[in-house]
Amino acid sequence: MPNTIQSLNRIQFTGVAAAGTGAITVDTAIAQYETPASGGAVDQGKYKLLVIDGADWEISKSIYTSAGTTVSRVLIDSSTGSLLNLVG
């Protein structure tokens, strides 16, 4: 996989995050959308991720890991100036 950030279309899912700013475990697709796996994500692929928590948001560079179905988070931009501190 090239060292570039890829895009996937029609991906939207619920996630389970450990408390804090760590990786998010992919749960289920939102109706009419897909999970990263069903939408074509490849293991260790780099993708842009939008996380929304209430009125706050972040755009992150993420690495998708298929074994644990997780996405990591490295900040690109956010409404708070940092990664969102998600509740587990």
Side-chain angles (χ1 to χ4, degrees), residues 28-65:
T28 58
I30 303 292
Q32 308 300 316
Y33 291 90
E34 298 183 82
T35 64
S38 63
V42 296
D43 188 43
Q44 300 305 303
K46 296 177 179 134
Y47 302 96
K48 192 178 281 188
L49 177 70
L50 170 63
V51 177
I52 299 171
D53 185 28
D56 294 325
W57 57 268
E58 80 180 44
I59 299 172
S60 302
K61 175 175 59 174
S62 69
I63 297 175
Y64 175 71
T65 304

Side-chain angles (χ1 to χ4, degrees), residues 4-49:
T4 58
I5 299 175
Q6 304 293 311
S7 294
L8 296 172
N9 295 319
R10 309 275 313 148
I11 307 298
Q12 190 174 37
F13 59 90
T14 60
V16 179
T21 59
I24 297 172
T25 300
V26 176
D27 193 15
T28 58
I30 303 292
Q32 308 300 316
Y33 291 90
E34 298 183 82
T35 64
S38 63
V42 296
D43 188 43
Q44 300 305 303
K46 296 177 179 134
Y47 302 96
K48 192 178 281 188
L49 177 70

